Amino acid sequence: MTLSKPILTGLKADRFRHPLDLEATNTLKQIPGLDSLIRSLLAPVGEEYFYLEHISSSILVSDRQLPDFHQLLLDASRILDLEPPQLYIRQHPVPNAYTFAMRGKKPFMVVHTSLIELLTPEEIQAVIAHELGHLKCDHGVYLTLANLLVLGASLLPNWGTMLAGQLQAQMMEWLRCAEFSCDRSALLVAQNPRTVMSVLMKLAGGSPSLASKLNLDAFIAQARAYDAIDKTQLGQLLKEARTAELSHPVPVLRAREVDRWASTPDYQKLLQMGKIGYTGEVTSKGEWRNW
């Protein structure tokens, strides 16, 4: 299947960044010395460990290794006007994808095999585009710390564990807000909100045997029902308690945000400003949250 989509040459992150992401990032920037502390202390330990872990125990995608996935990465990067990072495929039973932006090394993203098994090629590309959104929005410094907290807090020394305890609530709040921007990045590449929402639906309750049977319209209706819960004070408090410890917003909320932004003039203008161009081929599913 040949895809032809607008190429968003010169795209700036602020053209699609979610306002909650901007607000949460500004809050973190106000913490004195946080940026330099992460760069000088946390990042080298965690980054080097995770880089070695994935280069030694995952598959690096290239034009010679799983070329269909490599083409999906190149096309998504081209649409977003971004230098493509490395892409690793990792054998893992939990559907997940994540990104590291490392000092002195090329950024890399990781996608678990169990996530690949759930998705179509177009949906896989939406996942890739979501991860590219972290790079486009320059989430790297805070994303490194967030990934250490979520994926490898046990690696931190004693002082790091104490630091994680002090910052964890703020970092998780930032990460949840950043995910909304990355979902918009996924939509800019997919250029079909149903593709992105379908990924979220499958993350919420999919399996290889159920994925083709799920009803996206019913899931969207479910998202609207979730909205209605916070019409009472108790409902709002329950929502806040439910999400406080999560690294990602709940899937129905993310689907609602994608659906809303897809109908805005801002999104339509971005696509209209894009240059129509050939962006490759998707020939098969191949072998493919915290997305």
Side-chain angles (χ1 to χ4, degrees):
M1 178 176 58
T2 300
L3 302 179
S4 184
K5 299 178 181 178
I7 308 300
L8 307 178
T9 304
L11 176 68
K12 303 298 183 184
D14 286 345
R15 294 297 306 270
F16 67 88
R17 191 188 301 270
H18 196 284
L20 289 177
D21 176 14
L22 182 61
E23 180 181 348
T25 299
N26 287 337
T27 298
L28 285 184
K29 287 180 177 179
Q30 293 173 14
I31 300 176
L34 178 61
D35 283 39
S36 59
L37 184 62
I38 295 172
R39 292 182 189 277
S40 62
L41 298 176
L42 293 182
V45 176
E47 285 181 344
E48 193 65 22
Y49 174 87
F50 279 106
Y51 178 72
L52 291 174
E53 174 70 14
H54 289 94
I55 197 173
S56 64
S57 303
S58 306
I59 298 297
L60 175 60
V61 171
S62 70
D63 56 353
R64 298 189 302 150
Q65 183 73 274
L66 301 176
D68 289 347
F69 295 105
H70 187 242
Q71 191 63 54
L72 292 175
L73 171 66
L74 295 180
D75 293 345
S77 299
R78 185 181 177 201
I79 290 171
L80 294 173
D81 199 13
L82 189 67
E83 182 70 21
Q86 292 181 330
L87 169 61
Y88 289 91
I89 304 296
R90 185 172 180 84
Q91 176 68 39
H92 202 286
V94 178
N96 195 4
Y98 44 91
T99 295
F100 277 93
M102 303 175 59
R103 300 187 309 165
K105 291 187 173 68
K106 191 169 186 175
F108 69 92
M109 69 173 66
V110 181
V111 181
H112 287 175
T113 52
S114 53
L115 182 55
I116 292 171
E117 295 303 319
L118 289 176
L119 305 180
T120 66
E122 292 82 2
E123 292 165 350
I124 292 167
Q125 188 174 57
V127 170
I128 292 173
H130 173 100
E131 295 304 319
L132 290 174
H134 284 303
L135 301 178
K136 190 71 181 180
C137 292
D138 198 23
H139 288 158
V141 174
Y142 301 135
L143 187 64
T144 295
L145 178 57
N147 278 334
L148 286 172
L149 293 174
V150 174
L151 301 169
S154 62
L155 299 173
L156 298 174
N158 291 335
W159 61 264
T161 302
M162 180 179 67
L163 178 66
Q166 295 170 347
L167 289 176
Q168 188 166 8
Q170 283 177 294
M171 290 305 305
M172 292 302 97
E173 173 65 19
W174 171 81
L175 184 56
R176 289 192 296 272
C177 294
E179 293 301 310
F180 288 128
S181 293
C182 295
D183 286 341
R184 290 182 173 188
S185 177
L187 179 56
L188 288 173
V189 170
Q191 298 176 15
N192 182 347
R194 295 181 68 85
T195 299
V196 182
M197 289 189 290
S198 179
V199 175
L200 296 167
M201 175 181 66
K202 291 176 181 180
L203 284 171
S207 70
S209 62
L210 292 177
S212 64
K213 301 176 183 178
L214 295 175
N215 184 318
L216 182 56
D217 291 320
F219 181 70
I220 295 171
Q222 180 182 335
R224 297 191 183 109
Y226 178 82
D227 269 349
I229 293 174
D230 61 8
K231 290 183 178 179
T232 66
Q233 185 176 13
L234 176 60
Q236 182 61 40
L237 290 173
L238 289 174
K239 276 188 177 181
E240 292 175 359
R242 168 72 179 84
T243 59
E245 300 301 320
L246 298 178
S247 61
H248 289 59
V250 293
V252 291
L253 179 57
R254 294 171 64 185
R256 184 205 69 184
E257 286 296 300
V258 167
D259 193 36
R260 285 181 176 177
W261 194 59
S263 63
T264 63
D266 287 344
Y267 169 69
Q268 298 299 330
K269 285 179 182 178
L270 283 175
L271 294 191
Q272 290 169 8
M273 289 171 60
K275 178 181 178 182
I276 298 295
Y278 174 74
T279 62
E281 293 185 348
V282 179
T283 58
S284 68
K285 181 178 178 180
E287 285 73 29
W288 185 283
R289 63 189 155 67
N290 311 340
W291 186 87

